[in-house]
Amino acid sequence: MSKIRFATVWLAGCSGCHMSFLDMDEWLIELAQKVDVVFSPVGCDLKEYPDNVDVCLVEGAIANEENLELALELRKKTKVVISFGDCAVTANVPGMRNMLKGSDPVLRRAYIELGDGTPQLPDEPGIVPSLLDKVVPLHQVIPVDIFMPGCPPDAHRIRATLEPLLNGEHPLMEGRAMIKFG
């Protein structure tokens, strides 16, 4: 049996979901025997999202142009996209900046009002990816196949979501253990 081409992506979030993924401890060894990690901020150092990915865990909300471009690209190249954690499912904490109503007020608050020393807006392209006016959850940008809430989802939920996929089955995303937020 060929290995599943597996990816994880980290968008606008805190990396807590990826840390929880690493909490699967010994099961990671078993997982490694069944998947090829083809893209991940914790599993490899590739910069380009590859073609023909079977399963991708996507952590974080869509907050800037870089997030949006990667989300669109990974959807085109991935069979099963999993919205991984509350930020991806609901926009959660990154979405709190929506209260400021647009990217300009966010930048002014961060760089001018709260700036130390020499407050100024960044004006060099590439320093800060262009912010979207509103932070949105993943499913508002691309179709999502599986929603895995949690802040972060615990290791048991992550395993219970991935294990059936490794066997060619769809995970049962029902009951408190699998769908509780927070």
Side-chain angles (χ1 to χ4, degrees):
M1 185 172 133
S2 63
K3 289 185 170 187
I4 289 174
R5 292 176 53 80
F6 181 76
T8 71
V9 167
W10 174 13
L11 303 175
C14 71
S15 82
C17 295
H18 277 82
M19 296 305 101
S20 194
F21 178 85
L22 296 174
D23 285 343
M24 290 191 296
D25 300 328
E26 296 86 18
W27 193 72
L28 289 172
I29 296 167
E30 188 177 326
L31 180 64
Q33 295 169 357
K34 297 179 180 182
V35 303
D36 280 327
V37 177
V38 295
F39 191 87
S40 177
V42 297
C44 60
D45 190 32
L46 297 174
K47 304 302 182 216
E48 300 285 327
Y49 193 84
D51 292 326
N52 304 314
V53 175
D54 294 307
V55 176
C56 181
L57 296 174
V58 182
E59 171 183 353
I62 309 295
N64 61 43
E65 291 292 335
E66 226 173 64
N67 298 157
L68 178 60
E69 289 170 17
L70 181 53
L72 294 171
E73 181 180 11
L74 74 87
R75 179 69 270 185
K76 288 178 191 170
K77 298 179 176 183
T78 306
K79 293 177 189 164
V80 177
V81 173
I82 300 172
S83 193
F84 181 36
D86 288 351
C87 291
V89 174
T90 68
N92 205 22
V93 173
M96 291 174 72
R97 82 165 166 89
N98 292 342
M99 292 184 286
L100 293 177
K101 308 239 185 283
S103 60
D104 189 56
V106 169
L107 291 170
R108 291 194 172 289
R109 178 78 174 140
Y111 290 99
I112 302 295
E113 296 170 28
L114 300 175
D116 292 339
T118 57
Q120 60 184 327
L121 292 173
D123 61 359
E124 292 291 325
I127 300 280
V128 175
S130 297
L131 297 180
L132 300 176
D133 279 334
K134 185 176 181 183
V135 177
V136 296
L138 186 63
H139 69 275
Q140 287 187 12
V141 172
I142 62 170
V144 168
D145 301 298
I146 297 169
F147 293 85
M148 186 192 332
C151 186
D154 67 34
H156 299 292
R157 184 181 302 176
I158 299 167
R159 180 177 176 175
T161 302
L162 293 178
E163 206 160 27
L165 292 170
L166 299 176
N167 299 319
E169 301 166 4
H170 193 80
L172 288 175
M173 303 306 288
E174 56 187 35
R176 182 173 176 82
M178 292 302 288
I179 62 171
K180 177 183 174 285
F181 285 83

